[in-house]
Amino acid sequence: MEEKKIIQENPLGYAPLGGLMRKFAIPSIISMLVNSLYNMTDQIFIGHQIGMLGNAATNVAFPVTMLLIAFAQLIGVGTAANFNISLGAKREEDARKYIGTGLSMTGIVGLLFLVFVLLFKTAILKVCGATENILPLAEAYLGITAIGLPFLLFSSAASTIIRADGSPSYSMTCTVSGAVLNVFLDWLFLFVFHWGMEGAALATAVSQFVSFLLCICYFPKFRTFPITRNMLGIRKSYATKIAKLGTSNFLNHTIMMAVAIVLNHSLSYYGALSVYGKDIPLAVSGVATKLNSIMVAFVVGLAHGCQPILGFNIGAKNYDRVKKTYKMAVKIGMCFSVAAFLLFQFFPREVISVFGVGEPLYFVFAEKYLRIYMFMVFTFGLQPITVNFFTSIGAVKQGIVLSASRQGFILIPILLILPLRFGLDGVLFAGPVADGLAAILSITMVMVNFQSMTKRQREEMEKNA
């Protein structure tokens, strides 16, 4: 009886979509945007205090954070999606087990990740493209930020679960608090104490720990049902289903990491054959990666905000609400992407200048990079939103295919092929080609899914008639 009441009273199934989108998506977007400031503020402060090589050092260390976020997405999105689908299908006991298993997975994976990074720090940075000039600064940075990685993984995964529980504002508070603290500590450690790269890294680690503590404080007052100790522990069948629904998001971020590594090596190699040298392209790419992380944060935050709505309604077989939610998200995402396109095309130097100083060639290449590599950014909102759409409704295969498409099947091969003919320019043109093809694939796949959904809806209506 209690289980039935939970389902009937859940506003995800009947409240106006506009209000639900504002309630869940806005805090989610703010959370993701602010979370990206963990790396963004480091880039800005380091660029002004240490210079171009400092920006390049954070760039080669960034793939480690990207891989960690991939695991956070695997666990957090997988847990939240299964949790909401279970509630929509009136299976509360399953929902309990998904939450307990997901929380346990975050702790174990975080500790394993920490040990791996500390043991193989130098080798990892070399794989990520560190040159002899950049490696010492990158080692100093990663050696300290590694300590905060388990806290970052837990808070990133837990914030998604908290949002799925109907508390998007608290989820936002967890990430905003850490990011605001990070900005203050960056200023204090770099400009007051003059601790250099080590200071920027320490500011990040401390801030991640604070976000972790705030997330921990939420679970004793979980809204849907009490979190008890016997819920914790990894149940193999539930962990498998969590991984299954989180795989597309995991692949998306993992392949983004692989692209970052390939891109770093391509920029370094072909940059050395150009007037720019091998360090300038790496430094510019570091800034562009952080700018890209803002766009990723917005559209992924928007998609995550839609996840509880999509998951509950697909479980309840409210197909029209599922379609309307996706379309609304795409329209919002495209508006943001068009604004980013205009900014990068008309004000590239002003954007780059925010991240510190450099020699004249640095700014020449930076303007070229933003105008060419980011040219198709106005389509950027489609692919991440569509990937999260497939994950939220349990369409695992479609989510995996689309996750791997833009970054893996399309971008990496183009990054390897075009430079053979066009040199450094070929590296830059790989971005817009991949973005355009990924947008076409996203539209095609979601249209096929909508047709399938319409067919199921018609069959169920005929069955119930």
Side-chain angles (χ1 to χ4, degrees):
M1 191 70 181
E2 180 185 354
E3 183 177 303
K4 186 176 181 181
K5 184 179 178 183
I6 289 173
I7 304 301
Q8 288 177 336
E9 294 183 352
N10 199 318
L12 294 173
Y14 64 83
L17 287 176
L20 287 175
M21 287 280 285
R22 286 190 293 272
K23 177 183 177 182
F24 285 92
I26 291 176
S28 176
I29 291 169
I30 293 173
S31 296
M32 294 295 294
L33 285 172
V34 172
N35 198 39
S36 71
L37 289 176
Y38 279 129
N39 292 290
M40 181 68 71
T41 53
D42 282 345
Q43 198 84 52
I44 294 172
F45 282 104
I46 288 171
H48 284 280
Q49 185 71 9
I50 299 171
M52 184 185 75
L53 289 180
N55 278 337
T58 59
N59 181 34
V60 297
F62 191 57
V64 176
T65 301
M66 294 171 72
L67 181 60
L68 181 93
I69 296 299
F71 279 103
Q73 291 282 300
L74 175 76
I75 301 169
V77 172
T79 300
N82 278 293
F83 167 73
N84 286 125
I85 290 173
S86 296
L87 288 181
K90 305 181 181 181
R91 301 193 307 267
E92 187 187 346
E93 185 57 32
D94 284 338
R96 293 176 184 271
K97 291 177 180 177
Y98 281 122
I99 294 296
T101 301
L103 291 176
S104 301
M105 289 172 69
T106 58
I108 294 173
V109 173
L111 291 176
L112 291 175
F113 201 92
L114 169 63
V115 172
F116 175 77
V117 172
L118 290 178
L119 287 177
F120 303 104
K121 177 181 61 176
T122 301
I124 290 170
L125 290 171
K126 288 182 178 179
V127 169
C128 291
T131 65
E132 60 274 12
N133 294 329
I134 295 168
L135 184 60
L137 290 171
E139 285 184 315
Y141 185 78
L142 183 59
I144 296 175
T145 54
I147 299 171
L149 292 178
F151 305 123
L152 175 61
L153 188 147
F154 184 91
S155 59
S156 298
S159 63
T160 305
I161 297 171
I162 292 169
R163 190 182 311 115
D165 185 47
S167 299
S169 296
Y170 191 92
S171 175
M172 177 185 70
T173 300
C174 294
T175 51
V176 168
S177 300
V180 170
L181 179 61
N182 191 34
V183 172
F184 171 74
L185 292 180
D186 267 329
W187 168 81
L188 181 67
F189 293 166
L190 269 73
F191 287 89
V192 178
F193 296 159
H194 301 288
W195 287 351
M197 291 294 290
E198 292 85 353
L202 182 60
T204 298
V206 171
S207 303
Q208 289 165 351
F209 179 70
V210 170
S211 292
F212 162 79
L213 288 179
L214 289 172
C215 286
I216 285 288
C217 291
Y218 176 83
F219 288 99
K221 49 188 178 183
F222 203 71
R223 294 179 61 178
T224 305
F225 41 67
I227 301 291
T228 58
R229 187 171 297 180
N230 62 3
M231 288 171 56
L232 301 177
I234 297 180
R235 299 163 180 84
K236 185 177 179 180
S237 62
Y238 288 86
T240 301
K241 292 177 182 177
I242 286 171
K244 186 178 179 181
L245 287 192
T247 295
S248 58
N249 291 73
F250 173 79
L251 280 178
N252 202 34
H253 284 74
T254 302
I255 297 173
M256 283 172 62
M257 177 202 68
V259 166
I261 294 173
V262 173
L263 181 61
N264 285 347
H265 283 285
S266 296
L267 289 170
S268 178
Y269 178 79
Y270 291 102
L273 302 177
S274 72
V275 295
Y276 302 109
K278 57 184 178 180
D279 290 332
I280 286 178
L282 281 176
V284 170
S285 178
V287 172
T289 298
K290 301 305 161 54
L291 290 171
N292 188 61
S293 72
I294 293 180
M295 294 185 292
V296 170
F298 183 90
V299 295
V300 172
L302 174 63
H304 285 183
C306 297
Q307 182 272 316
I309 307 170
L310 292 167
F312 184 91
N313 284 286
I314 199 69
K317 300 181 180 179
N318 295 329
Y319 300 122
D320 287 339
R321 285 176 68 82
V322 172
K323 294 176 185 178
K324 289 177 182 177
T325 301
Y326 171 80
K327 292 176 182 178
M328 193 179 297
V330 168
K331 289 178 182 178
I332 297 170
M334 289 295 289
C335 289
F336 177 81
S337 299
V338 170
F341 167 80
L342 295 174
L343 183 66
F344 296 155
Q345 291 301 311
F346 292 103
F347 306 102
R349 188 178 184 92
E350 289 79 1
V351 172
I352 290 294
S353 297
V354 173
F355 294 84
V357 297
E359 56 187 271
L361 277 176
Y362 168 79
F363 285 103
V364 171
F365 184 75
E367 291 182 26
K368 187 176 184 179
Y369 191 102
L370 288 187
R371 284 187 169 135
I372 298 177
Y373 192 81
M374 313 289 273
F375 181 78
M376 289 293 290
V377 73
F378 59 86
T379 67
F380 184 81
L382 273 171
Q383 196 249 9
I385 290 173
T386 307
V387 167
N388 278 274
F389 165 75
F390 286 130
T391 298
S392 299
I393 66 172
V396 178
K397 292 181 181 179
Q398 292 94 321
I400 291 174
V401 169
L402 192 55
S403 292
S405 64
R406 191 267 178 188
Q407 305 288 346
F409 299 151
I410 301 175
L411 182 54
I412 290 180
I414 294 175
L415 274 174
L416 296 174
I417 294 171
L418 280 186
L420 296 175
R421 175 66 177 84
F422 301 104
L424 190 58
D425 285 347
V427 178
L428 302 186
F429 280 106
V433 172
D435 286 336
L437 293 175
I440 294 171
L441 182 61
S442 298
I443 294 171
T444 302
M445 290 182 66
V446 84
M447 286 177 66
V448 171
N449 185 272
F450 276 11
Q451 290 174 355
S452 175
M453 214 177 286
T454 301
K455 182 180 177 181
R456 275 183 286 165
Q457 187 176 25
R458 189 183 303 116
E459 290 174 348
E460 289 169 7
M461 289 175 65
E462 293 174 353
K463 182 179 178 181
N464 296 328

